[in-house]
Amino acid sequence: MLELTAMMNIGKEMARKLTRVGVDSSEKLIALGSKQAFLRLKEAYPQVCLVHLYALEGAVYNVAYNGLSKEKKEELKEFSDSLKAYFNAG
């Protein structure tokens, strides 16, 4: 089982937050996927933003978050934007 901090883009703080929402290994993050992991983070830490989602996606695919393709960033932004109504309704 690989430590979360061994993954691209995952520092100690991100690893701590992920562990608190039940994602305590690289295998779990990869199996869950960036969007579902981000959703869990957003529920527990409403201040997480789009850059966190980029970082998670990069971690899953071993790519620096700023190296994601324009198309992938647009897809992730649409996902993040779709959550705003849900989280702002509360």
Side-chain angles (χ1 to χ4, degrees):
M1 200 156 52
L2 194 61
E3 291 286 326
L4 286 166
T5 55
M7 298 179 81
M8 181 80 67
N9 309 318
I10 306 294
K12 289 180 183 179
E13 183 64 15
M14 176 75 92
R16 182 186 66 78
K17 288 178 179 177
L18 285 167
T19 299
R20 286 204 171 165
V21 298
V23 184
D24 59 2
S25 70
S26 59
E27 291 85 358
K28 284 186 182 176
L29 177 55
I30 291 167
L32 192 60
S34 62
K35 291 177 183 176
Q36 289 305 308
F38 180 73
L39 182 55
R40 287 187 184 188
L41 285 175
K42 193 76 171 164
E43 289 172 338
Y45 304 96
Q47 74 279 13
V48 297
C49 65
L50 181 59
V51 174
H52 291 87
L53 180 55
Y54 290 168
L56 291 167
E57 181 74 7
V60 167
Y61 292 101
N62 197 35
V63 174
Y65 75 91
N66 56 358
L68 296 171
S69 71
K70 180 181 176 188
E71 294 78 18
K72 179 53 74 175
K73 286 181 179 179
E74 288 173 3
E75 174 194 327
L76 295 172
K77 183 175 183 331
E78 285 179 23
F79 175 77
S80 177
D81 288 349
S82 74
L83 299 177
K84 287 181 182 176
Y86 173 76
F87 285 100
N88 292 334

Coordinates of all heavy atoms in Angstrom, one line a residue:
M1 N 0.8 -1.2 0.0 CA 0.0 0.0 0.0 C 0.9 1.2 0.0 O 1.7 1.4 0.9 CB -0.9 0.0 1.2 CG -2.1 0.8 1.1 SD -3.5 0.4 2.1 CE -2.9 0.3 3.8
L2 N 0.8 2.1 -1.0 CA 1.6 3.2 -1.2 C 1.0 4.4 -0.4 O -0.2 4.7 -0.4 CB 1.6 3.6 -2.6 CG 2.7 4.6 -3.1 CD1 4.1 4.1 -2.8 CD2 2.6 4.9 -4.6
E3 N 1.9 5.1 0.3 CA 1.4 6.3 1.1 C 0.9 7.4 0.1 O 1.4 7.5 -1.0 CB 2.6 6.9 1.8 CG 3.1 6.1 3.0 CD 2.2 6.1 4.2 OE1 1.6 7.1 4.5 OE2 2.2 5.0 4.8
L4 N -0.1 8.1 0.6 CA -0.7 9.1 -0.2 C 0.3 10.2 -0.6 O 0.3 10.7 -1.7 CB -1.9 9.8 0.5 CG -3.2 9.0 0.5 CD1 -4.1 9.6 1.6 CD2 -3.8 8.9 -0.8
T5 N 1.2 10.5 0.3 CA 2.2 11.6 0.1 C 3.2 11.1 -1.0 O 4.0 12.0 -1.4 CB 2.9 12.0 1.4 OG1 3.4 10.9 2.0 CG2 1.9 12.8 2.3
A6 N 3.3 9.9 -1.3 CA 4.2 9.4 -2.3 C 3.6 9.7 -3.7 O 4.3 9.6 -4.7 CB 4.5 7.9 -2.2
M7 N 2.4 10.1 -3.8 CA 1.7 10.4 -5.1 C 2.0 11.8 -5.5 O 2.2 12.7 -4.7 CB 0.2 10.2 -5.0 CG -0.2 8.7 -4.6 SD -2.0 8.6 -4.5 CE -2.4 8.5 -6.2
M8 N 2.0 12.0 -6.8 CA 2.1 13.3 -7.4 C 1.1 14.2 -6.8 O -0.1 13.8 -6.7 CB 2.0 13.2 -8.9 CG 2.1 14.5 -9.7 SD 3.9 15.0 -9.9 CE 4.4 13.7 -11.0
N9 N 1.4 15.5 -6.5 CA 0.5 16.5 -6.0 C -0.1 16.4 -4.6 O -0.9 17.2 -4.2 CB -0.7 16.7 -7.0 CG -0.3 16.8 -8.4 OD1 0.6 17.5 -8.7 ND2 -1.0 16.1 -9.3
I10 N 0.3 15.3 -3.9 CA -0.4 15.1 -2.6 C 0.7 15.4 -1.5 O 1.6 14.6 -1.3 CB -0.9 13.6 -2.4 CG1 -1.8 13.3 -3.6 CG2 -1.5 13.5 -1.1 CD1 -3.1 14.0 -3.6
G11 N 0.4 16.5 -0.8 CA 1.3 16.9 0.3 C 0.7 16.4 1.6 O -0.4 15.7 1.6
K12 N 1.3 16.7 2.7 CA 0.9 16.2 4.0 C -0.6 16.7 4.4 O -1.4 15.9 4.9 CB 1.8 16.7 5.1 CG 3.1 16.0 5.1 CD 4.1 16.5 6.2 CE 5.4 15.8 6.1 NZ 6.3 16.3 7.2
E13 N -0.9 18.0 4.1 CA -2.2 18.5 4.4 C -3.3 17.8 3.6 O -4.3 17.4 4.1 CB -2.2 20.0 4.2 CG -3.6 20.6 4.6 CD -3.9 20.5 6.1 OE1 -3.0 20.2 6.9 OE2 -5.1 20.8 6.4
M14 N -3.1 17.6 2.3 CA -4.0 16.9 1.4 C -4.2 15.5 1.9 O -5.3 15.0 2.0 CB -3.6 17.0 0.0 CG -4.5 16.2 -1.0 SD -6.1 17.0 -1.3 CE -5.6 17.9 -2.8
A15 N -3.1 14.8 2.2 CA -3.2 13.4 2.7 C -4.0 13.4 4.0 O -4.8 12.4 4.2 CB -1.8 12.9 2.9
R16 N -3.8 14.3 4.9 CA -4.5 14.3 6.1 C -6.0 14.5 5.9 O -6.8 13.7 6.5 CB -4.0 15.5 7.0 CG -4.7 15.6 8.4 CD -4.3 16.8 9.2 NE -4.8 18.0 8.5 CZ -6.1 18.5 8.6 NH1 -7.0 17.8 9.3 NH2 -6.4 19.6 8.0
K17 N -6.4 15.4 5.0 CA -7.8 15.6 4.7 C -8.4 14.3 4.0 O -9.5 13.9 4.3 CB -8.0 16.8 3.8 CG -7.8 18.1 4.5 CD -7.9 19.3 3.6 CE -7.7 20.6 4.4 NZ -7.7 21.8 3.5
L18 N -7.6 13.7 3.1 CA -8.1 12.5 2.4 C -8.3 11.4 3.4 O -9.4 10.7 3.4 CB -7.2 12.1 1.3 CG -7.2 13.0 0.0 CD1 -6.0 12.6 -0.8 CD2 -8.5 12.8 -0.7
T19 N -7.4 11.2 4.3 CA -7.5 10.2 5.3 C -8.7 10.4 6.2 O -9.5 9.4 6.5 CB -6.2 10.1 6.2 OG1 -5.1 9.8 5.3 CG2 -6.3 9.1 7.2
R20 N -9.0 11.6 6.5 CA -10.2 11.9 7.3 C -11.5 11.6 6.7 O -12.5 11.4 7.3 CB -10.2 13.4 7.8 CG -9.2 13.6 8.9 CD -9.5 14.8 9.7 NE -8.6 14.9 10.8 CZ -8.5 15.9 11.6 NH1 -9.2 17.0 11.3 NH2 -7.6 15.9 12.6
V21 N -11.5 11.6 5.3 CA -12.7 11.2 4.6 C -12.7 9.8 4.1 O -13.5 9.4 3.2 CB -13.0 12.3 3.5 CG1 -13.3 13.6 4.0 CG2 -12.0 12.3 2.4
G22 N -11.8 9.0 4.6 CA -11.8 7.6 4.3 C -10.9 7.1 3.1 O -11.0 6.0 2.7
V23 N -10.1 8.0 2.6 CA -9.2 7.7 1.5 C -7.8 7.7 2.1 O -7.1 8.7 2.1 CB -9.4 8.7 0.3 CG1 -8.5 8.3 -0.8 CG2 -10.8 8.9 -0.1
D24 N -7.4 6.6 2.6 CA -6.1 6.5 3.3 C -5.0 5.8 2.6 O -4.0 5.5 3.2 CB -6.4 5.9 4.7 CG -6.9 4.5 4.6 OD1 -7.1 3.9 3.5 OD2 -7.1 3.9 5.7
S25 N -5.1 5.6 1.3 CA -4.0 5.0 0.5 C -4.2 5.4 -0.9 O -5.2 5.8 -1.4 CB -4.1 3.4 0.6 OG -5.2 2.9 -0.1
S26 N -3.1 5.2 -1.6 CA -3.1 5.6 -3.0 C -4.0 4.7 -3.8 O -4.7 5.1 -4.7 CB -1.7 5.5 -3.6 OG -1.1 4.2 -3.4
E27 N -4.1 3.4 -3.4 CA -5.0 2.4 -4.0 C -6.4 2.9 -3.9 O -7.2 2.8 -4.8 CB -4.8 1.0 -3.5 CG -3.5 0.4 -3.8 CD -2.3 0.8 -2.9 OE1 -2.5 1.6 -2.0 OE2 -1.2 0.3 -3.1
K28 N -6.8 3.4 -2.7 CA -8.2 3.8 -2.5 C -8.5 5.1 -3.3 O -9.6 5.2 -3.9 CB -8.4 4.1 -1.0 CG -8.6 2.9 -0.2 CD -9.0 3.2 1.2 CE -9.2 1.9 2.0 NZ -9.5 2.2 3.5
L29 N -7.5 6.0 -3.4 CA -7.7 7.2 -4.2 C -7.9 6.8 -5.7 O -8.8 7.3 -6.4 CB -6.6 8.2 -4.1 CG -6.6 9.4 -4.9 CD1 -7.9 10.2 -4.7 CD2 -5.4 10.3 -4.6
I30 N -7.1 5.9 -6.2 CA -7.2 5.5 -7.6 C -8.5 4.8 -7.9 O -9.1 5.1 -8.9 CB -5.9 4.6 -8.0 CG1 -4.7 5.5 -8.0 CG2 -6.1 4.0 -9.3 CD1 -3.4 4.7 -8.0
A31 N -8.9 3.9 -7.0 CA -10.1 3.2 -7.1 C -11.3 4.1 -7.1 O -12.3 3.9 -7.8 CB -10.3 2.1 -6.1
L32 N -11.3 5.1 -6.2 CA -12.4 6.0 -6.0 C -12.5 7.0 -7.2 O -13.6 7.3 -7.6 CB -12.3 6.7 -4.7 CG -13.4 7.5 -4.2 CD1 -14.6 6.7 -4.0 CD2 -13.0 8.2 -2.9
G33 N -11.3 7.4 -7.6 CA -11.3 8.4 -8.7 C -11.3 9.9 -8.1 O -11.7 10.1 -7.0
S34 N -10.8 10.8 -8.9 CA -10.6 12.1 -8.4 C -11.9 12.8 -8.1 O -12.0 13.6 -7.1 CB -9.8 13.0 -9.5 OG -10.5 13.0 -10.7
K35 N -12.9 12.6 -8.9 CA -14.2 13.3 -8.7 C -14.9 12.9 -7.4 O -15.4 13.7 -6.6 CB -15.1 13.1 -9.9 CG -14.6 13.8 -11.2 CD -15.5 13.5 -12.3 CE -15.0 14.2 -13.6 NZ -15.8 13.8 -14.8
Q36 N -14.9 11.6 -7.2 CA -15.6 11.1 -5.9 C -14.8 11.5 -4.7 O -15.3 11.8 -3.7 CB -15.8 9.6 -6.0 CG -16.9 9.2 -7.0 CD -18.2 9.9 -6.7 OE1 -18.7 9.9 -5.6 NE2 -18.7 10.6 -7.7
A37 N -13.4 11.5 -4.8 CA -12.6 11.9 -3.7 C -12.8 13.4 -3.4 O -12.9 13.8 -2.3 CB -11.1 11.6 -4.0
F38 N -12.9 14.2 -4.5 CA -13.2 15.6 -4.3 C -14.5 15.9 -3.7 O -14.6 16.7 -2.8 CB -13.1 16.3 -5.7 CG -13.3 17.8 -5.7 CD1 -12.4 18.6 -5.2 CD2 -14.5 18.3 -6.1 CE1 -12.6 20.0 -5.1 CE2 -14.7 19.7 -6.1 CZ -13.8 20.5 -5.6
L39 N -15.5 15.1 -4.1 CA -16.8 15.2 -3.5 C -16.8 15.0 -2.0 O -17.4 15.7 -1.2 CB -17.8 14.3 -4.2 CG -19.3 14.3 -3.7 CD1 -19.8 15.7 -3.8 CD2 -20.1 13.4 -4.5
R40 N -16.1 13.9 -1.6 CA -15.9 13.6 -0.2 C -15.2 14.8 0.6 O -15.6 15.2 1.7 CB -15.1 12.4 0.1 CG -15.9 11.1 -0.3 CD -15.1 9.9 0.1 NE -15.7 8.7 -0.3 CZ -15.3 7.5 0.1 NH1 -14.2 7.4 0.9 NH2 -15.9 6.4 -0.3
L41 N -14.2 15.3 -0.1 CA -13.4 16.4 0.5 C -14.3 17.7 0.6 O -14.4 18.3 1.7 CB -12.2 16.8 -0.3 CG -11.0 15.9 -0.2 CD1 -9.9 16.3 -1.2 CD2 -10.5 15.8 1.2
K42 N -15.1 17.9 -0.4 CA -16.0 19.1 -0.4 C -17.0 19.0 0.7 O -17.4 20.1 1.3 CB -16.6 19.2 -1.8 CG -17.3 20.5 -2.1 CD -16.3 21.6 -2.4 CE -16.9 22.9 -2.9 NZ -16.0 24.0 -2.8
E43 N -17.5 17.8 0.9 CA -18.5 17.7 2.0 C -17.9 18.0 3.4 O -18.6 18.6 4.2 CB -19.1 16.3 1.9 CG -20.0 16.1 0.8 CD -20.5 14.6 0.6 OE1 -19.8 13.7 1.1 OE2 -21.5 14.4 -0.1
A44 N -16.7 17.5 3.6 CA -16.1 17.7 4.9 C -15.3 19.1 5.0 O -15.3 19.6 6.1 CB -15.0 16.6 5.1
Y45 N -14.8 19.6 3.9 CA -14.1 20.8 3.9 C -14.6 21.7 2.7 O -14.1 21.7 1.6 CB -12.6 20.5 3.6 CG -12.0 19.6 4.6 CD1 -11.9 18.2 4.4 CD2 -11.5 20.0 5.9 CE1 -11.3 17.3 5.3 CE2 -11.0 19.2 6.8 CZ -10.9 17.8 6.5 OH -10.3 17.0 7.4
P46 N -15.7 22.4 3.0 CA -16.3 23.2 1.9 C -15.4 24.2 1.2 O -15.7 24.6 0.1 CB -17.4 24.0 2.6 CG -17.7 23.2 3.9 CD -16.4 22.6 4.2
Q47 N -14.3 24.6 1.8 CA -13.4 25.5 1.2 C -12.5 24.9 0.1 O -11.8 25.7 -0.6 CB -12.5 26.2 2.3 CG -11.4 25.3 2.8 CD -11.8 24.3 3.9 OE1 -13.0 24.1 4.1 NE2 -10.8 23.7 4.6
V48 N -12.5 23.6 -0.1 CA -11.6 23.0 -1.2 C -12.1 23.6 -2.5 O -13.3 23.8 -2.7 CB -11.5 21.5 -1.2 CG1 -10.9 21.0 0.1 CG2 -12.9 20.9 -1.4
C49 N -11.2 23.8 -3.4 CA -11.5 24.4 -4.7 C -11.1 23.6 -5.9 O -10.6 22.5 -5.7 CB -10.9 25.8 -4.7 SG -9.1 25.8 -4.7
L50 N -11.3 24.1 -7.0 CA -11.0 23.5 -8.3 C -9.5 23.0 -8.3 O -9.3 21.9 -8.9 CB -11.3 24.4 -9.4 CG -11.0 23.9 -10.8 CD1 -11.9 22.6 -11.1 CD2 -11.4 25.0 -11.9
V51 N -8.6 23.7 -7.8 CA -7.2 23.3 -7.8 C -7.0 22.0 -7.1 O -6.2 21.1 -7.5 CB -6.3 24.4 -7.3 CG1 -4.8 23.9 -7.1 CG2 -6.3 25.6 -8.1
H52 N -7.8 21.8 -6.0 CA -7.7 20.5 -5.3 C -8.1 19.4 -6.2 O -7.6 18.3 -6.2 CB -8.6 20.5 -4.1 CG -8.1 21.4 -3.0 ND1 -8.4 22.8 -2.9 CD2 -7.3 21.2 -1.9 CE1 -7.8 23.3 -1.9 NE2 -7.2 22.4 -1.2
L53 N -9.2 19.6 -7.0 CA -9.7 18.6 -7.9 C -8.6 18.3 -9.0 O -8.3 17.1 -9.3 CB -11.0 19.0 -8.6 CG -11.6 18.1 -9.6 CD1 -11.8 16.7 -9.0 CD2 -12.9 18.7 -10.1
Y54 N -8.0 19.3 -9.5 CA -6.9 19.1 -10.5 C -5.7 18.3 -9.8 O -5.2 17.4 -10.5 CB -6.3 20.5 -10.9 CG -7.1 21.3 -11.8 CD1 -6.8 22.6 -12.0 CD2 -8.3 20.9 -12.4 CE1 -7.5 23.5 -12.8 CE2 -9.1 21.7 -13.2 CZ -8.7 23.0 -13.4 OH -9.4 23.8 -14.2
A55 N -5.4 18.6 -8.6 CA -4.3 17.9 -7.9 C -4.7 16.4 -7.7 O -3.9 15.5 -7.9 CB -4.1 18.5 -6.5
L56 N -6.0 16.1 -7.4 CA -6.4 14.7 -7.2 C -6.3 14.0 -8.6 O -5.9 12.9 -8.6 CB -7.8 14.7 -6.7 CG -8.0 15.1 -5.2 CD1 -9.4 15.3 -4.9 CD2 -7.3 14.2 -4.3
E57 N -6.8 14.6 -9.6 CA -6.7 14.0 -11.0 C -5.3 13.7 -11.4 O -5.0 12.6 -11.8 CB -7.4 14.9 -12.0 CG -7.4 14.4 -13.4 CD -8.4 13.3 -13.6 OE1 -9.3 13.0 -12.7 OE2 -8.4 12.7 -14.7
G58 N -4.4 14.7 -11.1 CA -3.0 14.5 -11.4 C -2.4 13.3 -10.6 O -1.6 12.6 -11.1
A59 N -2.8 13.2 -9.3 CA -2.3 12.2 -8.5 C -2.8 10.8 -9.0 O -2.0 9.9 -9.1 CB -2.8 12.4 -7.0
V60 N -4.0 10.7 -9.4 CA -4.5 9.4 -9.9 C -3.7 9.0 -11.2 O -3.4 7.8 -11.4 CB -6.0 9.5 -10.2 CG1 -6.5 8.4 -11.1 CG2 -6.8 9.7 -8.9
Y61 N -3.4 10.0 -12.0 CA -2.7 9.6 -13.3 C -1.2 9.9 -13.3 O -0.6 9.9 -14.3 CB -3.4 10.3 -14.5 CG -4.8 9.8 -14.7 CD1 -5.9 10.4 -14.2 CD2 -4.9 8.5 -15.3 CE1 -7.2 9.9 -14.4 CE2 -6.2 8.0 -15.5 CZ -7.3 8.6 -15.0 OH -8.5 8.1 -15.1
N62 N -0.7 10.3 -12.1 CA 0.8 10.6 -12.0 C 1.2 11.7 -12.9 O 2.2 11.5 -13.6 CB 1.6 9.3 -12.1 CG 3.0 9.5 -11.6 OD1 3.2 10.2 -10.6 ND2 4.0 8.9 -12.2
V63 N 0.5 12.8 -12.9 CA 0.8 14.0 -13.7 C 0.7 15.2 -12.8 O -0.2 15.3 -11.9 CB -0.3 14.1 -14.8 CG1 -0.1 15.4 -15.6 CG2 -0.3 12.9 -15.7
A64 N 1.6 16.1 -13.0 CA 1.6 17.4 -12.2 C 0.2 18.0 -12.6 O -0.2 18.0 -13.7 CB 2.7 18.3 -12.6
Y65 N -0.4 18.6 -11.6 CA -1.8 19.2 -11.8 C -1.8 20.2 -12.9 O -2.7 20.3 -13.6 CB -2.4 19.7 -10.5 CG -1.8 21.1 -10.1 CD1 -2.3 22.3 -10.5 CD2 -0.6 21.1 -9.2 CE1 -1.8 23.5 -10.1 CE2 -0.1 22.3 -8.8 CZ -0.7 23.5 -9.3 OH -0.1 24.7 -8.9
N66 N -0.7 21.0 -13.0 CA -0.6 22.0 -14.1 C -0.3 21.4 -15.5 O -0.2 22.1 -16.4 CB 0.3 23.1 -13.7 CG 1.7 22.7 -13.4 OD1 2.0 21.5 -13.4 ND2 2.6 23.6 -13.1
G67 N 0.0 20.1 -15.5 CA 0.2 19.4 -16.8 C -1.0 18.7 -17.3 O -0.9 18.1 -18.4
L68 N -2.1 18.8 -16.7 CA -3.4 18.3 -17.2 C -3.7 19.0 -18.5 O -3.5 20.2 -18.7 CB -4.5 18.4 -16.2 CG -4.4 17.6 -14.9 CD1 -5.5 18.0 -14.0 CD2 -4.4 16.1 -15.1
S69 N -4.3 18.2 -19.4 CA -4.7 18.8 -20.7 C -5.8 19.9 -20.5 O -6.6 19.8 -19.5 CB -5.2 17.8 -21.7 OG -6.5 17.3 -21.2
K70 N -5.9 20.8 -21.4 CA -7.0 21.8 -21.4 C -8.4 21.2 -21.3 O -9.2 21.6 -20.6 CB -6.8 22.7 -22.6 CG -7.9 23.8 -22.7 CD -7.7 24.7 -23.9 CE -8.8 25.7 -24.0 NZ -8.8 26.4 -25.3
E71 N -8.5 20.1 -22.1 CA -9.8 19.4 -22.2 C -10.1 18.8 -20.8 O -11.3 18.9 -20.3 CB -9.8 18.3 -23.2 CG -9.7 18.9 -24.7 CD -8.3 19.3 -25.1 OE1 -7.3 18.9 -24.4 OE2 -8.2 20.0 -26.0
K72 N -9.1 18.2 -20.2 CA -9.4 17.5 -18.9 C -9.7 18.6 -17.8 O -10.6 18.4 -17.0 CB -8.1 16.7 -18.5 CG -8.3 16.1 -17.1 CD -9.5 15.2 -16.9 CE -9.4 13.9 -17.7 NZ -10.6 13.0 -17.4
K73 N -9.0 19.7 -17.9 CA -9.3 20.8 -16.9 C -10.7 21.4 -17.1 O -11.4 21.6 -16.1 CB -8.3 21.9 -17.1 CG -6.9 21.6 -16.5 CD -5.9 22.8 -16.7 CE -4.6 22.5 -16.1 NZ -3.6 23.6 -16.2
E74 N -11.1 21.5 -18.4 CA -12.5 21.9 -18.6 C -13.5 21.0 -18.1 O -14.5 21.4 -17.5 CB -12.7 22.2 -20.1 CG -11.9 23.4 -20.7 CD -12.0 23.5 -22.2 OE1 -12.7 22.7 -22.9 OE2 -11.4 24.5 -22.7
E75 N -13.3 19.7 -18.3 CA -14.2 18.6 -17.8 C -14.3 18.7 -16.3 O -15.4 18.7 -15.7 CB -13.7 17.2 -18.2 CG -14.5 16.1 -17.6 CD -13.7 14.8 -17.7 OE1 -13.0 14.6 -18.7 OE2 -13.9 13.9 -16.8
L76 N -13.1 18.8 -15.6 CA -13.1 18.9 -14.1 C -13.8 20.2 -13.6 O -14.5 20.2 -12.6 CB -11.7 18.8 -13.6 CG -11.0 17.5 -13.9 CD1 -9.5 17.5 -13.5 CD2 -11.7 16.3 -13.2
K77 N -13.6 21.3 -14.4 CA -14.2 22.6 -14.0 C -15.8 22.4 -14.1 O -16.5 22.9 -13.2 CB -13.7 23.7 -14.8 CG -14.3 25.0 -14.4 CD -13.8 26.2 -15.1 CE -14.3 27.6 -14.7 NZ -15.6 27.6 -14.1
E78 N -16.2 21.8 -15.1 CA -17.7 21.6 -15.3 C -18.2 20.7 -14.1 O -19.3 21.0 -13.5 CB -18.0 20.9 -16.6 CG -17.9 21.8 -17.8 CD -18.2 21.0 -19.1 OE1 -18.9 20.0 -19.1 OE2 -17.7 21.5 -20.1
F79 N -17.5 19.7 -13.7 CA -17.9 18.9 -12.6 C -17.9 19.7 -11.3 O -18.9 19.7 -10.5 CB -16.9 17.7 -12.4 CG -17.2 16.9 -11.2 CD1 -18.3 16.0 -11.2 CD2 -16.4 17.0 -10.0 CE1 -18.6 15.2 -10.0 CE2 -16.7 16.3 -8.9 CZ -17.8 15.4 -8.9
S80 N -16.9 20.5 -11.1 CA -16.8 21.4 -9.9 C -17.9 22.4 -9.9 O -18.6 22.6 -8.8 CB -15.4 22.1 -9.8 OG -15.4 22.9 -8.7
D81 N -18.2 23.0 -11.0 CA -19.3 24.0 -11.1 C -20.6 23.3 -10.8 O -21.5 24.0 -10.3 CB -19.3 24.6 -12.5 CG -18.1 25.6 -12.7 OD1 -17.4 25.9 -11.7 OD2 -17.9 26.0 -13.9
S82 N -20.8 22.1 -11.3 CA -22.1 21.4 -11.1 C -22.4 21.1 -9.6 O -23.5 21.0 -9.2 CB -22.1 20.1 -11.8 OG -21.3 19.1 -11.2
L83 N -21.3 21.1 -8.8 CA -21.5 20.9 -7.3 C -21.9 22.2 -6.6 O -22.4 22.1 -5.5 CB -20.2 20.4 -6.7 CG -19.7 19.1 -7.2 CD1 -18.4 18.7 -6.6 CD2 -20.7 18.0 -7.0
K84 N -21.6 23.4 -7.2 CA -21.9 24.6 -6.5 C -23.3 24.8 -6.0 O -23.5 25.2 -4.9 CB -21.4 25.8 -7.4 CG -19.9 25.9 -7.5 CD -19.5 27.0 -8.3 CE -17.9 27.0 -8.4 NZ -17.4 28.1 -9.3
A85 N -24.3 24.5 -6.9 CA -25.7 24.6 -6.5 C -26.0 23.7 -5.3 O -26.7 24.1 -4.4 CB -26.6 24.2 -7.7
Y86 N -25.4 22.5 -5.3 CA -25.7 21.6 -4.2 C -25.1 22.1 -2.9 O -25.8 22.1 -1.9 CB -25.0 20.2 -4.5 CG -25.0 19.2 -3.4 CD1 -26.2 18.6 -3.0 CD2 -23.9 19.0 -2.7 CE1 -26.2 17.7 -2.0 CE2 -23.9 18.1 -1.6 CZ -25.1 17.4 -1.3 OH -25.1 16.5 -0.2
F87 N -23.9 22.6 -2.9 CA -23.2 23.0 -1.7 C -23.6 24.4 -1.3 O -23.6 24.8 -0.1 CB -21.7 23.0 -1.8 CG -21.2 21.6 -1.8 CD1 -20.9 20.9 -2.9 CD2 -21.1 20.9 -0.5 CE1 -20.4 19.6 -2.8 CE2 -20.7 19.6 -0.5 CZ -20.3 18.9 -1.6
N88 N -24.1 25.3 -2.2 CA -24.6 26.6 -1.8 C -26.0 26.6 -1.4 O -26.5 27.6 -0.9 CB -24.4 27.6 -3.0 CG -22.9 27.8 -3.3 OD1 -22.1 27.7 -2.4 ND2 -22.6 28.1 -4.5
A89 N -26.7 25.5 -1.6 CA -28.2 25.4 -1.2 C -28.3 25.2 0.3 O -29.4 25.6 0.8 CB -28.8 24.2 -1.9
G90 N -27.3 24.7 1.0 CA -27.4 24.4 2.4 C -27.5 25.6 3.2 O -28.2 25.7 4.2

